[in-house]
Amino acid sequence: MEAFMRAPWAGGVVLLTCVVIAMFLANLPATAHYYHYLLGTDLSLLVHTPGGAIDWVFPRGMTVEKFINDGLMVVFFFSVGLEIKREVVRGALSTWRQAILPVVAAAGGMIAPALIFTLFNHGTPAAAGWGIPTATDIAFAVGILSMLENRIPVSLKIFLMALAVADDLGAILVIALFYGGEVNLGCLMLALLIMVGIYAMKSLGEKRMIFYLVPAVVVWSLFYYSGVHSTISGVAMAMLIPMEPRYSREYFVQKMRALKGCFDGIATAGADFPDEEQRACLRRIRALATESVGMSDRLEHALAPYVTFLIMPIFALANAGVGIESAAYFDIFHPSAETGAVGMGVCFGLLVGKPLGIFLASWIAVRSGLAVMPEGASWRMLLAVACLGGIGFTMALFVDSLAFTDAALIDRGKIAILMGSTAAALLGSLLILLFGKKKNSIR
């Protein structure tokens, strides 16, 4: 099990399994009603006294589905925020030379599918869904690359991962700017005031985790009622988490040398290990080791398995279940007055717009001298990797649930996401198999 969880493709396999399960649950007569009833179940906490003197509900309007999309997904966005921060501070986006190509490619990969969707749906009820095909799902894309990594240069895998990080940042901005509700300025300003206080606390050197995580829950609550989507609070709080460790290298080495004396002579036959003093030393060593790693790194490492194998699968189970009333649901290329051309906009946006936007933006950046080609890569291989950028699952489903209120539009969008992402995955994999065996000859 541990070997499976460490595999880079494991998250994609679990997600795909949950998609299939969700489709069965939503369509089997024995489970369909229970599936939808469960998602609509109220999860709010009610405090009510006799006579109604106290009648308090929190969070108001919270159902199982909203808890997943507005609660659990905050942890997902928090994890994404930590990853973005790491890449910007010391990773693949930390210098201009490293960042410019994936950032430009991500921008092209968002603009092109948005334009394609708008061309199909301008003036229709589906027009608000232009943000659906703009995001790349890193779990599926990197999983496929990992299974085919012997056929591509490592530089292209790094390029795709950096592109997906920049893409996530763009998707977060799109959600924050275009898919919020009516803004409650009082709640929003109070949340911002708390975050300013957290920033001041961080500037003063506070590195104890409780002083960041408790305010994070309060900030989430305020965002939930502010009209700005509550998941944005996860990203905002991630940016405030300190990356610097509490203890310096010098302090760690000094203390470890002092603690070393606790274990002198433990090889003596018959000696109890650990004795009381040694247990105290071991606890101190554990605390030293923990606090010598930055809080941001610790949280990212601790959350990773829960996000990959719990939160994202639960999100898929709750959002990928589309009730298929007839085969016409799969006819995504048939526009209608009620749903516009949402199917064509999403599918062509993912399958054509994402690869085309990523490839053309990269070509322009390299040819203009703004960026350099990834080492050992060819244009054909970059096109193949760009096709994998059209796998837009998690974030696309999330935006689909925000963009529309009409159930028919939401379901058509989901079907198109699944079909477009599958087609992009197959196309990208095929191109890697075709071009990956050859040496990079096209520049």
Side-chain angles (χ1 to χ4, degrees):
M1 179 61 74
E2 289 185 9
F4 171 77
M5 292 179 68
R6 285 196 298 267
W9 42 264
V13 171
V14 173
L15 271 182
L16 184 60
T17 302
C18 288
V19 170
V20 175
I21 293 173
M23 292 296 289
F24 275 109
L25 290 176
N27 289 280
L28 291 175
T31 59
H33 289 297
Y34 296 106
Y35 174 78
H36 294 293
Y37 287 158
L38 176 62
L39 293 178
T41 300
D42 186 17
L43 279 185
S44 299
L45 175 64
L46 172 64
V47 179
H48 183 82
T49 58
I54 298 177
D55 190 6
W56 181 74
V57 178
F58 180 83
R60 192 170 296 277
M62 181 67 76
T63 62
V64 170
E65 186 174 13
K66 283 184 69 65
F67 173 74
I68 294 168
N69 292 343
D70 290 21
L72 291 182
M73 286 300 284
V74 173
V75 181
F76 167 78
F77 276 82
F78 181 77
S79 178
V80 169
L82 293 174
E83 181 181 4
I84 291 172
K85 184 177 181 180
R86 170 173 50 81
E87 294 297 329
V88 169
V89 172
R90 58 169 183 250
L93 303 177
S94 60
T95 67
W96 172 264
R97 186 177 179 84
Q98 290 175 304
I100 188 62
L101 185 61
V103 168
V104 169
M110 296 187 74
I111 293 170
L115 289 176
I116 287 177
F117 185 95
T118 302
L119 286 174
F120 280 110
N121 290 282
H122 178 68
T124 73
W130 61 268
I132 297 172
T134 61
T136 296
D137 192 287
I138 191 169
F140 281 119
V142 174
I144 291 174
L145 272 189
S146 298
M147 289 188 284
L148 301 171
E149 62 184 351
N150 61 327
R151 297 176 178 270
I152 63 167
V154 175
S155 60
L156 277 181
K157 185 174 181 180
I158 296 172
F159 166 78
L160 181 62
M161 293 178 70
L163 182 149
V165 170
D167 202 291
D168 281 343
L169 180 58
I172 289 164
L173 292 174
V174 167
I175 293 169
L177 296 175
F178 300 102
Y179 292 111
E182 184 178 345
V183 177
N184 182 324
L185 288 177
C187 288
L188 184 59
M189 292 305 295
L190 183 54
L192 294 176
L193 186 62
I194 292 173
M195 286 190 287
V196 169
I198 295 170
Y199 178 78
M201 180 178 64
K202 175 188 172 184
S203 300
L204 292 173
E206 179 57 63
K207 293 185 174 66
R208 285 172 291 183
M209 194 175 294
I210 191 171
F211 290 103
Y212 292 87
L213 297 188
V214 171
V217 176
V218 178
V219 169
W220 169 80
S221 302
L222 291 168
F223 266 79
Y224 181 79
Y225 287 108
S226 72
V228 177
H229 202 275
S230 56
T231 52
I232 303 303
S233 67
V235 181
M237 287 303 302
M239 297 299 144
L240 296 173
I241 299 297
M243 294 194 72
E244 304 78 14
R246 184 177 182 184
Y247 299 138
S248 67
R249 176 181 179 275
E250 293 75 15
Y251 182 87
F252 175 80
V253 172
Q254 177 187 350
K255 290 297 182 181
M256 285 298 292
R257 284 174 179 165
L259 291 167
K260 181 178 177 294
C262 292
F263 305 100
D264 292 339
I266 61 172
T268 303
D272 290 334
F273 175 79
D275 59 25
E276 186 175 349
E277 181 184 2
Q278 289 165 349
R279 286 196 295 272
C281 287
L282 288 171
R283 286 192 291 269
R284 182 61 180 147
I285 289 171
R286 182 176 63 180
L288 273 171
T290 298
E291 297 295 344
S292 296
V293 178
M295 188 191 307
S296 181
D297 293 312
R298 299 202 315 269
L299 283 171
E300 186 179 353
H301 177 74
L303 290 174
Y306 296 99
V307 169
T308 303
F309 297 107
L310 182 64
I311 292 174
M312 291 176 67
I314 289 175
F315 173 81
L317 286 171
N319 288 272
V322 181
I324 307 299
E325 297 179 2
S326 68
Y329 263 70
F330 294 102
D331 185 10
I332 62 173
F333 304 111
H334 179 69
S336 68
E338 295 79 18
T339 60
V342 61
M344 287 191 288
V346 171
C347 189
F348 285 121
L350 292 172
L351 182 59
V352 178
K354 289 290 288 187
L356 190 63
I358 292 169
F359 183 82
L360 288 180
S362 300
W363 186 86
I364 292 171
V366 171
R367 290 302 186 190
S368 66
L370 184 65
V372 294
M373 193 73 165
E375 184 180 354
S378 69
W379 286 115
R380 289 187 299 184
M381 286 301 296
L382 192 142
L383 176 61
V385 170
C387 289
L388 296 182
I391 304 173
F393 182 72
T394 307
M395 202 71 80
L397 287 174
F398 190 72
V399 175
D400 179 67
S401 68
L402 298 177
F404 304 131
T405 55
D406 186 285
L409 282 171
I410 293 174
D411 287 349
R412 291 297 176 97
K414 290 179 180 179
I415 292 293
I417 290 166
L418 297 176
M419 294 178 69
S421 296
T422 301
L426 293 174
L427 178 60
S429 301
L430 178 62
L431 292 179
I432 289 175
L433 291 172
L434 287 175
F435 301 146
K437 295 180 181 179
K438 300 178 181 180
K439 292 184 178 180
N440 302 318
S441 57
I442 298 178
R443 288 273 180 174

